[in-house]
Amino acid sequence: MSDIEDRVRKIVVEHLGVEEDKVVENASFIDDLGADSLDTVELVMAFEEEFGIEIPDDAAETIQTFGDAVKFIKEAA
Amino acid sequence: MFDLTGKSALITGASGGIGGEIARALHGAGAQVGLSGTREAPLQELAGELGERAFVLPCNLSDAEAVAALPKQAAEAMGAVDILVNNAGITRDNIFMRMSDDEWQSVLDVNLTATFKLCKGVMRGMMKARWGRIVNISSIVGATGNPGQANYAAAKAGMVGMSKSLAYEVATRNITVNAVAPGFIETAMTEKLTDEQKGQIMGQIPMARMGTPGEIAAAVLYLASPEAGYVTGTTLHVNGGMAML
């Protein structure tokens, strides 16, 4: 759909080693995509670098799904 | 063995006897070294002695802002921090019933809280690099206790518990976190002891001598090396047999 969505999906696919079609809006990083808690920290680090934004810890905790990440980044970028 | 060429190490308390020797050992193995400490003059002197690959990074670890800034300064100076040695420590001894809140807090701040913050500050880079070594300098008294040092012993035991927990969390990223626990080592700190005190201590050490800073540095060098890649969450006791743990 959007450029941001594609870039976020690419990071998730690369980092978690999952199929692209599994990375849907409601996909939970931990429950559906096999991430552990440290993977989610690394995903946030990767988003910060890709989009040149800062995601504070309290905001990072609210990013549970692919959709959450896209929404947050769209608002922050 | 123990080749650190291309690695960058940040060492706190590098102005002291043990810290300086750790810096010499890591530098001697080929690492770039970031020398941190409160007093700049001895750091400059050590950097001059080491020559290339040595950077002076003064930092007062009781200043929270300075602690937060140190990992960034080190990464800017050296390009990365692959190895962190939390060696800096202070003592403010007093018997428990006379120990003030300030004596307690200042020792916890410098010895334990600064260690936590520095570990956190270097972790992002280590996670990205998928390689890292953290060596926290604890103390024998963290394991055995010592009269007059409730604050210091609590901080040094705290470092061990923290190291183990962090070791669990980051093991899959190829980052190891270990502690070295020195016994009585010949430094400015132990020079202040009276002959009677020294005699008493010697009686408790099977080796019947104090350790040297170089013997601590050798333990740190091992834990920082690629060869120690399967060693994490452990405490290496270097104490002449004083406590066999």
Side-chain angles (χ1 to χ4, degrees), chain B residues 126-146:
Chain B
M126 289 183 181
M127 280 167 61
K128 279 183 67 181
R130 289 288 189 269
W131 200 94
R133 294 282 185 269
I134 292 178
V135 183
N136 292 324
I137 307 301
S138 180
S139 166
I140 185 174
V141 308
T144 63
N146 199 27

Side-chain angles (χ1 to χ4, degrees), chain A:
Chain A
M1 195 179 86
S2 73
D3 169 51
I4 285 179
E5 203 172 317
D6 287 342
R7 284 157 73 192
V8 172
R9 182 175 285 111
K10 188 159 173 275
I11 290 171
V12 174
V13 165
E14 274 175 13
H15 196 89
L16 299 179
V18 291
E19 299 294 326
E20 219 177 290
D21 58 9
K22 294 270 191 327
V23 187
V24 294
E25 170 140 18
N26 289 328
S28 156
F29 294 123
I30 289 177
D31 295 331
D32 301 318
L33 301 176
D36 66 19
S37 51
L38 200 56
D39 287 322
T40 63
V41 172
E42 289 185 328
L43 279 175
V44 166
M45 281 163 45
F47 297 150
E48 287 180 330
E49 275 175 28
E50 172 74 18
F51 298 98
I53 55 174
E54 264 202 42
I55 306 178
D57 286 345
D58 53 347
E61 281 168 22
T62 67
I63 300 175
Q64 306 280 338
T65 66
F66 173 67
D68 292 340
V70 172
K71 183 164 172 282
F72 183 91
I73 292 162
K74 275 184 179 165
E75 282 166 12

Side-chain angles (χ1 to χ4, degrees), chain B residues 81-102:
Chain B
V81 179
D82 306 297
I83 299 163
L84 169 66
V85 183
N86 283 301
N87 163 73
I90 60 165
T91 56
R92 286 186 68 185
D93 297 357
N94 207 342
I95 60 164
F96 190 89
M97 290 302 288
R98 294 260 178 266
M99 187 168 284
S100 68
D101 289 358
D102 184 55

Side-chain angles (χ1 to χ4, degrees), chain B residues 120-209:
Chain B
K120 207 170 166 193
V122 300
M123 197 48 64
R124 179 184 272 250
M126 289 183 181
M127 280 167 61
K128 279 183 67 181
R130 289 288 189 269
W131 200 94
R133 294 282 185 269
I134 292 178
V135 183
N136 292 324
I137 307 301
S138 180
S139 166
I140 185 174
V141 308
T144 63
N146 199 27
Q149 292 198 308
N151 49 3
Y152 188 73
K156 292 299 186 181
M159 285 173 99
V160 170
M162 192 206 77
S163 300
K164 290 179 180 178
S165 304
L166 180 56
Y168 262 110
E169 291 186 19
V170 298
T172 56
R173 268 58 173 180
N174 217 12
I175 301 166
T176 69
V177 188
N178 292 289
V180 169
F184 280 88
I185 306 299
E186 292 163 357
T187 63
M189 212 188 267
T190 50
E191 243 171 51
K192 290 182 209 152
L193 299 170
T194 63
D195 283 347
E196 194 192 340
Q197 284 173 316
K198 281 185 187 169
Q200 273 180 353
I201 291 164
M202 292 308 167
Q204 299 168 38
I205 305 173
M207 292 271 181
R209 67 171 178 86

Side-chain angles (χ1 to χ4, degrees), chain B residues 12-27:
Chain B
T12 68
S15 49
I18 293 176
E21 213 46 44
I22 291 169
R24 284 188 191 92
L26 301 184
H27 186 268

